Each structure stands twice: as structure tokens, then as C-alpha cells.
């Protein structure tokens, strides 16, 4: 039986992801107690909001240590969504420079508009271009659309950690991966069938 | 350009049921919420807009329980509006499953609220909803409180101000055209789209797919919201997108 622990660090959007996990056959367990991570078969870090607030909440609630222990030392499969992915970076530049979890060699910066793509935030359905056969994208064809809603993105310095890119505002990294650690800038829980396929793949990883 | 044009059904909620009116009046019941949400979920629409149209007028806070129930069936993006007055209202709505919130009257009365929400939750989750009327002399004015309160604000100026305060999106609704199915206000949509750097959703007046194409092309909107066309005719969001694709727009089918 899976025990999909969804980290509640006070940054919202927990219900949607818990419901989606349920629909994908997982057993969601939303918790604000870092100790609950030790029983997890999978860990999901969702998130809406600003990077500094997110990291502060994670640190103040004692999640940073628990996440490092379970994800990095004990190799529990991990999925970060939106802000949850961004916080996997070494550093965030939103509002003020803030250290992230540091799992991905990257930093989070604002999306800059260009001639073709003038609108920021990037809101709506857009494609992902897979960099390699990432396990969470198994069975997902090219040119499928996922739902994005964000103003910041992660610049990734280690090419091997880039899982997918999206051609908007000059192109940005829309998914990262490192062994059993995954992150998506888009919202699989709001991306209907293709999104559920991603969650399903993650739960079966 | 790989980002898709969005077609968004709007659900208006009043006293425990869905309604649709004309010119923000003459409300007709259009069915139960849950049933409608389930249908749209099954049909995989791009995004749902859900507005509680009597909350502000009757001084009520948003119906968090109702939004919670809707969001549980809604595996697609959900924007919720109506009665939102504080950062705490926003937090609770996001907590129960809204992806974005729409503020209207409260933003006009206190634009700082936009900034406060943006700093806490990010610009991407704030939609500023602008309802406007066109006067006989051709000038435009913003109205709040479900179209009952004139504000003296010019929609383009207000949209620019909302953008500068940190709004993430504008939903622009013509009160005159609402429910008439005679087409969007293309002219004002274009003016607002050109004046701001955030996405603009055109709303109010869709009766034909052609109207959508017109406001996307001439009005330079990034998305179209529509209610009456989907409630009172056989037309569907999917069919709208097929039409738009045939006419050269980038949509998600």
C-alpha cells in the first residue's frame, strides 16, 4: 500500500493534489508533521506562493531536515510541483535572494517577456519537450499540453538534470529530474488525462 | 507561439444554484453546480471560472464549502470570484482547491489588496475582474458590485493600475453585452490588451464562435470566457476550439 505524503507547509493547494493522487490509485496523506515523512513511500511537495515564504515555512516547520533525510539519504521518490519544484534549486531570486533545498543545480528567476511572448505570468496550456526518457513521462506523446501558471522559472546549470523544456519567453525548464527526484513547473493535478499519467507514473516509480 | 488560446466556461452562482442573466440582470437558473462541473471536467475544458455573484452585494464571505466541493471534482484549473475581501479569504480559497482567485469590488475599493495578495501568493493567482459599461458618448466606465456601482474609473487606466499593483491576469466583462450573445466588445478589449503586459480574458457577449475569433484576433485577447452560449445553445467549448483551430488559432484539442 502506498503512502503518498503531501507536505503541508502552509502554502496551499493541498486538496487538489490529494484528490488527484487518490484518483490515480495512491493513498494521500497530507501532513504538517515532519516525522510523518519517515513512513512515506512517495513524497510530494506542492506549492503556490513566493519562494522566500515557502522556504521559510519549510525551515520553520522542520521540513528541510526531514526532506533531506528521507529524499536524499533514504532515496524516497520525490515530486515537487510548481513552487515545490522551484524550491529544489540552490537559490531563488523572487523578492529577495533565498537559499533553496539545493538538490538541483539551478536558480529561480523571473520569466522575461520577449517579442513573441509578451505576457507574464505564463498562464495556460503549453507543450513540454522531453530531454530524455524520464520515467514520469512514460507513455506521454510529444506535443501534449500541460497547465502552467507561474511568473518565475528555474535556470538549470547541470544539463543532466533537465527533464523537459517549454518554448515560452525564450524557453524555460519545465521539468527537472535527478535519480528518484522529479520536479514539474506545470501542474499535473490540473492537467487532466496527461497530468494524471504523470502522477500515475510517479506513484509507480 | 506554443501557448494555447483558452476557452473558459463561466459559471455564475447565486443562492445555491447556477444562473445566467442578461446585462447583469434577469437571472435564469441553469442547473446544479456539481453536475455542470462534472460535465466540464469530463469534457476536459481549458479552465473554469466560478463566480458567486451575490456574495459582495449581500456582504457575505466566499462560500468556502461550496468551492471545496467543486474543486474536489475539478481536475482542471479553477478560478473563483465573488465576495473576496481579504488576504485570508484568498488563502482559504487556495487551500480548498482554487488555482486562481478573481477580485473585483474589493480591488477597486482598495488596490493595495492586489499587492498584498501578490506578495503572499504570487501574481499568478490573482485575476482582477473588470466589469464595464459603454456610455452613449462612447466613453467607458468601470462598475463594481455586480454592475450596480459606478466608479468613475476608465477601464484602460484601471487595468494598467491593476497590472502595476501585481495582478496576474485581467478578465474584462462588458455589462452591456453580457448574455446578449451579440459579440464581445472588441474595441475595449484591444485597448486593454495593448495597455497591459499580463494576459487578458475577454468576457461578455459571445453568441457565435465567430465572436470568439474576432475578439482573439482584433481584440488581441489571450483567452475567451463565455456562459450563455454554452448554457442556452448547443454549442460547446470543444466545438469552439475546433472552429478556432480551423481559423488559424493555436488551441488545445
Amino acid at each position: 500500500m502506498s503512502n503518498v505524503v503531501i507536505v503541508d507547509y502552509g502554502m496551499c493547494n493541498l486538496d487538489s493534489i490529494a484528490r488527484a493522487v487518490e484518483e490515480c490509485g495512491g493513498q494521500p496523506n497530507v501532513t504538517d508533521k515532519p516525522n510523518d515523512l519517515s513512513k512515506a513511500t512517495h513524497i510530494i511537495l506542492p506549492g503556490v506562493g513566493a519562494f522566500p515564504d515557502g522556504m521559510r515555512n519549510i525551515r520553520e516547520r522542520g521540513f528541510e531536515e526531514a526532506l533531506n533525510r528521507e529524499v536524499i539519504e533514504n532515496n524516497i521518490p520525490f515530486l515537487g510541483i510548481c513552487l515545490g519544484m522551484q524550491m529544489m534549486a540552490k537559490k531563488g531570486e523572487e523578492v529577495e535572494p533565498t537559499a533553496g533545498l539545493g538538490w538541483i543545480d539551478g536558480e529561480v528567476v523571473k520569466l522575461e517577456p520577449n517579442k513573441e511572448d509578451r505576457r507574464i505570468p505564463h498562464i495556460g496550456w503549453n507543450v513540454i519537450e522531453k530531454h530524455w526518457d524520464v520515467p514520469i513521462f512514460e507513455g506521454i506523446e510529444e506535443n501534449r499540453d500541460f497547465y502552467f501558471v507561474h511568473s518565475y522559472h528555474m535556470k538549470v546549470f547541470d544539463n543532466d538534470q533537465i527533464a523537459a523544456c517549454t518554448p515560452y519567453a525564450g524557453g524555460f525548464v519545465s521539468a527537472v529530474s535527478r535519480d528518484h527526484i522529479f520536479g514539474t513547473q506545470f501542474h499535473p493535478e490540473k492537467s487532466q488525462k496527461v497530468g494524471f499519467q504523470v502522477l500515475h507514473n510517479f506513484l509507480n516509480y | 507561439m506554443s501557448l494555447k488560446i483558452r476557452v473558459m466556461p463561466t459559471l455564475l452562482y447565486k443562492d445555491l444554484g447556477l444562473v445566467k442573466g442578461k446585462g447583469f440582470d434577469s437571472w435564469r437558473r441553469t442547473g446544479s453546480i456539481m453536475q455542470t462541473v462534472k460535465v466540464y471536467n469530463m469534457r476536459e475544458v481549458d479552465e473554469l471560472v466560478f463566480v458567486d455573484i451575490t456574495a459582495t452585494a449581500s456582504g457575505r464571505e466566499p462560500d468556502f464549502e461550496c468551492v471545496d466541493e467543486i474543486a474536489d471534482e475539478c481536475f482542471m484549473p479553477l478560478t473563483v470570484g465573488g465576495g473576496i475581501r481579504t488576504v485570508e479569504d484568498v488563502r482559504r480559497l487556495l487551500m480548498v482547491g482554487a488555482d486562481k482567485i478573481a477580485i473585483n469590488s474589493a480591488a477597486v475599493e482598495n488596490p493595495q489588496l492586489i499587492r498584498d495578495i501578490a506578495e503572499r501568493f504570487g501574481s499568478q493567482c490573482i485575476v482582477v475582474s473588470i466589469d464595464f459599461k459603454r456610455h452613449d458618448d462612447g466613453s467607458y466606465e468601470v462598475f463594481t458590485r455586480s454592475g450596480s456601482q459606478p466608479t468613475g474609473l476608465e477601464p484602460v487606466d484601471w487595468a494598467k493600475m491593476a497590472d502595476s499593483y501585481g495582478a496576474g491576469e485581467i478578465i474584462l466583462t462588458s455589462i452591456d453585452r453580457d448574455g446578449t450573445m451579440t459579440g464581445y466588445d472588441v474595441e475595449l478589449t484591444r485597448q486593454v490588451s495593448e495597455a497591459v503586459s499580463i494576459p487578458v480574458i475577454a468576457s461578455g457577449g459571445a453568441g457565435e464562435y465567430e465572436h470568439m475569433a474576432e475578439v482573439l484576433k482584433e481584440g488581441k485577447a489571450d483567452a475567451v470566457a463565455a456562459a450563455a452560449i454554452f448554457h442556452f445553445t448547443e454549442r460547446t467549448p470543444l466545438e469552439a476550439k475546433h472552429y478556432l483551430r480551423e481559423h488559424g488559432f493555436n488551441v488545445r484539442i
Side-chain angles (χ1 to χ4, degrees), chain A residues 51 54 56 64 73 78 166 169 175:
Chain A
F51 195 101
R56 191 175 52 241
E64 188 175 27
E73 290 167 31
F78 173 92
T166 291

Side-chain angles (χ1 to χ4, degrees), chain B residues 8-81:
Chain B
M8 303 159 44
T10 307
L11 306 180
L12 302 176
Y13 169 87
K14 183 186 185 187
D15 309 327
L16 302 172
L18 288 182
V19 293
K20 181 65 198 111
K22 228 181 204 180
F24 283 28
D25 210 339
S26 330
W27 303 103
R28 288 160 66 182
R29 294 211 168 272
T30 58
S32 103
I33 304 173
M34 291 317 298
Q35 205 181 347
T36 310
V37 170
K38 279 180 190 167
V39 168
Y40 281 135
N41 191 55
M42 202 174 65
R43 291 183 178 167
E44 302 211 307
V45 300
D46 292 335
E47 188 165 331
L48 263 192
V49 184
F50 177 78
V51 183
D52 184 342
I53 53 172
T54 48
T56 295
S58 47
R60 264 191 299 113
E61 61 175 15
D63 188 338
F64 300 103
E65 259 175 56
C66 174
V67 174
D68 195 0
E69 269 178 54
I70 291 169
D72 279 353
E73 293 302 327
C74 199
F75 299 108
M76 62 198 147
L78 175 66
T79 298
V80 177

Side-chain angles (χ1 to χ4, degrees), chain A residues 15 119 125-126 145 192, chain B residues 2 4 45-46 68 72 196:
Chain A
D15 247 29
R119 306 277 191 211
W125 297 83
N126 212 333
D145 290 299
Q192 301 164 349
Chain B
S2 58
K4 308 301 179 289
V45 300
D46 292 335
D68 195 0
D72 279 353
V196 299

Side-chain angles (χ1 to χ4, degrees), chain B residues 100-167:
Chain B
K100 294 186 281 182
I101 57 87
I103 46 173
N104 188 326
S105 310
V108 170
E109 286 156 25
N110 171 26
Q112 180 62 31
L113 180 63
I114 303 172
R115 189 166 286 154
D116 293 345
I117 298 167
E119 277 175 10
R120 179 84 189 273
F121 305 108
S123 290
Q124 83 292 331
C125 74
I126 315 162
V127 186
V128 169
S129 167
I130 301 178
D131 297 335
F132 68 92
K133 283 184 186 168
R134 189 174 194 272
H135 293 303
D136 292 340
D137 64 359
S139 66
Y140 290 98
E141 185 178 357
V142 176
F143 281 68
T144 57
R145 301 185 166 262
S146 283
S148 65
Q149 179 79 44
T151 64
L153 286 170
E154 206 281 319
V156 175
D157 292 342
W158 170 228
K160 275 171 37 183
M161 191 171 158
D163 184 0
S164 73
Y165 270 81

Side-chain angles (χ1 to χ4, degrees), chain A residues 13 15-16 19 23 48-49 117-123 125-126 145 147 149 167-168 190 192-193 196, chain B residues 1-2 4 44-47 68 72 74-77 94 99 121 124 168 193 196-198 222 252:
Chain A
N13 208 6
D15 247 29
S16 317
R19 281 284 294 126
E23 291 285 314
V48 172
D117 303 314
R118 316 194 286 121
R119 306 277 191 211
I120 307 293
H122 175 228
I123 299 179
W125 297 83
N126 212 333
D145 290 299
Y147 187 73
V149 52
Y168 191 81
K190 290 285 172 176
Q192 301 164 349
K193 281 190 194 108
F196 277 28
Chain B
M1 182 70 178
S2 58
K4 308 301 179 289
E44 302 211 307
V45 300
D46 292 335
E47 188 165 331
D68 195 0
D72 279 353
C74 199
F75 299 108
M76 62 198 147
L94 296 176
D99 299 288
F121 305 108
Q124 83 292 331
S193 295
V196 299
S197 63
I198 55 182
D222 301 280
R252 181 184 68 115

